[in-house]
Structure formats: C-alpha cells, structure tokens
Amino acid sequence: MGVCHWICYFCDAEIAQKLLEDFDFDVNRIDINYQTGPFRMIRDNLNEKDIIDVLRLLIEHDFNINYVPMVENVLKQKTLLEFFVSFTKERLKVVEFLLENNADPDAPAFISKGRYKTIREYVQKKKGRAMNELFDRFPPLNQRGEQDKDT
C-alpha cells in the first residue's frame, strides 16, 4: 500500500490535507489488487461526508476518478464508482459526488462477469429507485458538454 491508501484508510481530511501539501506521492498508485487508495474508504464504519472530503482533496491533486484496471484487455477490478454503487451499504451522496466529478457511469461493469455491459446497466437492473434516479441525472460523459451548451 502507498501513502494514498493509508490516507484513505484513516479517512481524515485534516491528515490528508497536510500530507498532500507537504509530501510528493502518487495519488493514483495501485496495489496488488489493482485498487487505488480510495478503495480503502469502502467500509461500513465511515461517514459519507468524510469520504467526500478526502475524495475532494485527492481530485484536487490529480486523482484519476475513472481509473479502469485493464491488463491485456481484461478488466481486473471494479472502478471506484462501481465499487460504491455495488457496496452493500448505499452511499448515494458519495455516488452523486463521484458522478458530479465526472466519474463515468458508462464504464465497463466488472461485477456482472458479462451480464451487464456498463455500470449504468447494472444500476438499471439491480439497484433501487433512488440510485436509478441519481444515474438518470447524469448523461454519458461524451454528451455532458453538449447538454451544457443547450442550457
């Protein structure tokens, strides 16, 4: 595990801010399971606000919110968005924050082993009304710029 993994494990924005200001480290480092640091925040005992505060800091320091772990064209792990979507404890505020910060709702879905092509399709077929309504608010990334021009 790298520094970012430990920051996320402790999920403390003050500590994260200090380390990000004072040290130079790779916020996109992956571990042996093809996971970036924020995967350490997918736990029942953490507050959504704390998770969002740490994610916000990491994004400000160039965290790649859409990292897709592929090796030889094989998907090796869920994206961060898919992990939060499929986690047993619903984290709507975190999912909304990720989508607002351009997490890709149409990234390949890992959880389904091929039954669902994208995270959006998984949500449509397996998640409840609140999660579906949230995803409905966010068009595919390649259409978001066009939508902004129309308004």
Side-chain angles (χ1 to χ4, degrees):
M1 284 195 329
V3 175
C4 187
H5 293 82
W6 285 108
I7 285 173
C8 294
Y9 178 80
F10 290 108
C11 197
D12 183 312
E14 271 187 62
I15 291 171
Q17 179 72 39
K18 186 73 174 147
L19 289 170
L20 288 162
E21 286 174 359
D22 294 351
F23 298 96
D24 183 28
F25 57 90
D26 184 3
V27 295
N28 292 298
R29 181 177 173 173
I30 59 169
D31 64 15
I32 61 171
N33 296 312
Y34 303 99
Q35 295 177 339
T36 55
F39 283 77
R40 298 295 177 274
M41 295 189 291
I42 303 170
R43 302 193 318 263
D44 283 338
N45 64 334
L46 296 178
N47 174 310
E48 280 189 290
K49 181 192 177 309
D50 294 338
I51 294 169
I52 291 168
D53 288 347
V54 172
L55 282 171
R56 182 176 286 112
L57 290 168
L58 293 175
I59 290 167
E60 289 171 3
H61 286 83
D62 299 323
F63 174 69
N64 179 1
I65 204 166
N66 284 313
Y67 170 69
V68 178
M70 300 278 283
V71 176
E72 297 177 4
N73 290 329
V74 175
L75 191 60
K76 294 292 187 180
Q77 186 58 266
K78 298 174 187 177
T79 63
L80 186 61
L81 176 63
E82 185 179 5
F83 243 111
F84 275 108
V85 163
S86 62
F87 188 58
T88 53
K89 183 174 183 178
E90 198 163 77
R91 301 284 193 171
L92 287 173
K93 290 178 185 174
V94 175
V95 170
E96 180 178 35
F97 175 81
L98 290 169
L99 290 167
E100 287 172 344
N101 283 277
N102 293 320
D104 188 357
D106 299 295
F110 177 80
I111 194 171
S112 64
K113 304 291 186 204
R115 285 189 305 255
Y116 313 108
K117 290 183 174 44
T118 67
I119 299 167
R120 185 185 306 276
E121 187 178 331
Y122 167 77
V123 167
Q124 289 170 343
K125 294 185 177 165
K126 296 300 258 181
K127 300 309 278 185
R129 181 178 177 183
M131 187 71 75
N132 270 282
E133 287 175 353
L134 178 58
F135 265 69
D136 288 346
R137 290 182 24 219
F138 293 91
L141 288 179
N142 63 357
Q143 294 176 11
R144 291 191 193 176
E146 296 167 19
Q147 187 180 42
D148 293 341
K149 291 176 191 171
D150 294 340
T151 56

